[in-house]
Amino acid sequence: MRIDVKKCAALLKEQDNILILTHAHPDGDTLGCGFGLCRALIKMGKKARVINADEIPAKYSYLYNGMSCLNFKEDYVAAVDVATENLLGSLADTYSGRINLCIDHHGTNTEYADNLYLRETASACELVYEVITELGVQIDKEIANCLFTGISTDTGCFRYASVTASTFRIAAELLECGADNGYVNRVMFETKTKTYARLERLAIDSMRLYCNDKVAIMKVTQEMYKSSGSNEQETEALAPLTRQVEGVEIGITIREKPDGTCKASFRTFETVNAAELAKLFGGGGHPQAAACRLDCSVDEAVELIVQKCGELVE
Amino acid sequence: MRIDVKKCAALLKEQDNILILTHAHPDGDTLGCGFGLCRALIKMGKKARVINADEIPAKYSYLYNGMSCLNFKEDYVAAVDVATENLLGSLADTYSGRINLCIDHHGTNTEYADNLYLRETASACELVYEVITELGVQIDKEIANCLFTGISTDTGCFRYASVTASTFRIAAELLECGADNGYVNRVMFETKTKTYARLERLAIDSMRLYCNDKVAIMKVTQEMYKSSGSNEQETEALAPLTRQVEGVEIGITIREKPDGTCKASFRTFETVNAAELAKLFGGGGHPQAAACRLDCSVDEAVELIVQKCGELVE
């Protein structure tokens, strides 16, 4: 059932022992939502904790620093920034079919939760900001940093066309609540580990243009992880680079998995719907950023994708 | 004389035939201020035009599109985002000593103008936004795009710690006045010409770490312009890259001039004051972004700078 922010806050007010699920291969938005909401619920005197199927990259540690990890049997399960149950990764095995509440901003949400608060905002953290405000919790510095992180990371630091006046106003409020934008943005956008800097150079070198230079494809192989000392956790920042060369309408990053299959990330401008493109391969996402898994090698994936893209841009 | 926004607007209201000076080697902030203010003055029925000592890069053309270039003898001269008269480049020969009004956000402003409206905001366009509002001019889509461009470019698209709640709120207002943030940010941040992409790769390859990896220096030589097909106009985006490697406290870009001398750009975090560092070499700027000219070769500049930086970071 689709609900509004008032109902969403009312449901949370009634509950205790709340488990918050975030999506696998976690990013700043799902974690910012999760820990921001969790901190707010704890401030209300409730028990709450956040879980994820994968390891949380160290750069996000400030999101949960100082929180005690509460152990309790959950009475209520909420998912944040999770469009489909299978995006929960291994958590889907346990929680599929028993998620009470979902707060999400993906138009492709499959309405798997009993109650869904959804609007297509630039970041899911904007919705969690509304929910926390509706709950009457005073946003402190820690909550502000969580929510600012989600907004900042999901918008490429306010670069994308998805940013609205409301996004900027929430960001302003969060700064006044103590969000340390300089710190968050430096950690998220201005800090390359030496291993990532090496991987980025290899990935940029692998980039090739197709379809009259309207499609750029970058490859990230297991071999590149090995020679750079980097790993898949560090690849989040690569996808936007593919779309930056003049004339490119579809930027694609194909990452090789340890089992030889791969994952493709699509970045587009208004001329092409990335979610629809990803859907052709069984994936999904946003109009300008989407992804899919492919049960084939990187080079086979390039061939398949170039063919489909050719039909779209020509 | 230092003045406030009310006095600044009052002075402009009294005047006509206003010439607006922008700083040489123009960037989005000085041009956004210049054309934003110029469009507002023209809307008030005044004659105004913007001039610059250098050629304005083509990517900024939307700032002045549709404006008729008015020919008139100026009665009033205003400078925007210009900290010192010598930053006017060749325009200083004509206008030095006869600038009536300056709107600026550099703490290092030398107070060369008869009247100075200065506050250390993230971008000078925030001040011009205040002035236009005070003038009572309704901000239209074109003015909004000018001001948004300055705010966005001077903050690295809202990345830097200089961004305040007020910066975000002005950005929100500008979106509501019609600023096309998606377009502006794509042109300013998400579009690399093929020549720039080649130059960037060469410049990144030239980057070396010094002083226990706390200082990164990137070189941009005339030879690199030649082999990439790029030019100095395209180098604006390089400087922030130097600061991005983990552990680096001072990121420096040294650009070789056609006459064999060079210009150094400094980017720092809170630990080092870039303006003070640049001042050691006769330059200036902001606490986290500053520059100077050096009357020596690139390699001699590296040596000189590494020595001074070593004293600062160790």
Side-chain angles (χ1 to χ4, degrees), chain A residues 148 156-166 168-169 171-173 175-176 181-183 185-186 189-195 197 200-201 204-205 207 209 213 240-241 243-247 269-270, chain B residues 148 156-166 168-169 171-173 175-176 181-183 185-186 189-195 197 200-201 204-205 207 209 213 240-241 243-247 269-270:
Chain A
F148 190 87
C157 204
F158 303 94
R159 274 194 195 187
Y160 304 152
S162 56
V163 169
T164 63
S166 167
F168 279 132
R169 287 213 177 85
E173 298 287 330
L175 290 206
E176 283 171 344
N181 58 322
Y183 174 80
N185 292 335
R186 188 194 314 170
F189 298 104
E190 296 276 328
T191 309
K192 296 176 182 177
T193 61
K194 286 173 191 169
T195 53
E200 187 186 70
R201 206 183 294 183
I204 288 176
D205 280 342
M207 197 155 81
L209 301 179
D213 296 358
L241 302 179
R243 200 178 53 175
Q244 289 179 343
V245 178
E246 208 179 13
F269 293 121
E270 288 77 4
Chain B
F148 190 88
C157 204
F158 303 93
R159 276 195 195 188
Y160 304 151
S162 57
V163 169
T164 62
S166 165
F168 279 131
R169 286 213 178 87
E173 298 287 329
L175 290 206
E176 284 171 343
N181 58 323
Y183 174 79
N185 292 336
R186 186 194 315 169
F189 298 104
E190 297 276 328
T191 308
K192 296 177 182 177
T193 61
K194 288 175 189 167
T195 53
E200 188 186 70
R201 205 183 295 183
I204 289 175
D205 280 342
M207 197 154 80
L209 301 178
D213 297 356
L241 302 179
R243 199 178 56 173
Q244 290 180 341
V245 179
E246 209 179 14
F269 292 121
E270 289 77 4

Side-chain angles (χ1 to χ4, degrees), chain B residues 217 254 262 264 281 294 296-306:
Chain B
I217 300 187
I254 304 180
C262 54
F281 302 99
L294 287 153
C296 63
S297 73
V298 171
D299 289 327
E300 287 164 339
V302 170
E303 211 169 301
L304 274 170
I305 290 172
V306 167

Side-chain angles (χ1 to χ4, degrees), chain A residues 157-266:
Chain A
C157 204
F158 303 94
R159 274 194 195 187
Y160 304 152
S162 56
V163 169
T164 63
S166 167
T167 314
F168 279 132
R169 287 213 177 85
I170 293 174
E173 298 287 330
L174 294 174
L175 290 206
E176 283 171 344
C177 293
D180 189 348
N181 58 322
Y183 174 80
V184 171
N185 292 335
R186 188 194 314 170
V187 171
M188 294 298 145
F189 298 104
E190 296 276 328
T191 309
K192 296 176 182 177
T193 61
K194 286 173 191 169
T195 53
Y196 171 76
R198 280 195 292 264
L199 178 68
E200 187 186 70
R201 206 183 294 183
L202 293 171
I204 288 176
D205 280 342
S206 82
M207 197 155 81
R208 295 289 176 274
L209 301 179
Y210 301 88
C211 310
N212 291 324
D213 296 358
K214 289 180 180 167
V215 175
I217 300 187
M218 175 187 274
K219 298 194 246 184
V220 184
T221 63
Q222 293 290 320
E223 178 54 40
M224 289 181 188
Y225 293 139
K226 222 177 286 173
S227 69
S228 63
S230 184
N231 58 56
E232 194 177 349
Q233 280 185 5
E234 292 194 322
T235 59
E236 210 181 316
L238 291 175
L241 302 179
T242 57
R243 200 178 53 175
Q244 289 179 343
V245 178
E246 208 179 13
V248 168
E249 294 178 19
I250 311 177
I252 302 160
T253 314
I254 304 179
R255 290 179 292 178
E256 187 181 26
K257 295 273 171 190
D259 65 3
T261 66
C262 53
K263 187 175 170 183
S265 298
F266 302 91

Side-chain angles (χ1 to χ4, degrees), chain A residues 271-286:
Chain A
T271 49
V272 177
N273 188 310
E276 283 173 19
L277 177 55
K279 216 174 160 186
L280 297 175
F281 302 99
H286 298 286

Side-chain angles (χ1 to χ4, degrees), chain A residues 25 34 61 68 73 78 90 94 158 184 199 236-237 244 286 305:
Chain A
H25 191 61
S61 62
S68 44
K73 163 119 187 48
S90 59
T94 312
F158 303 94
V184 171
L199 178 68
E236 210 181 316
Q244 289 179 343
H286 298 286
I305 289 172

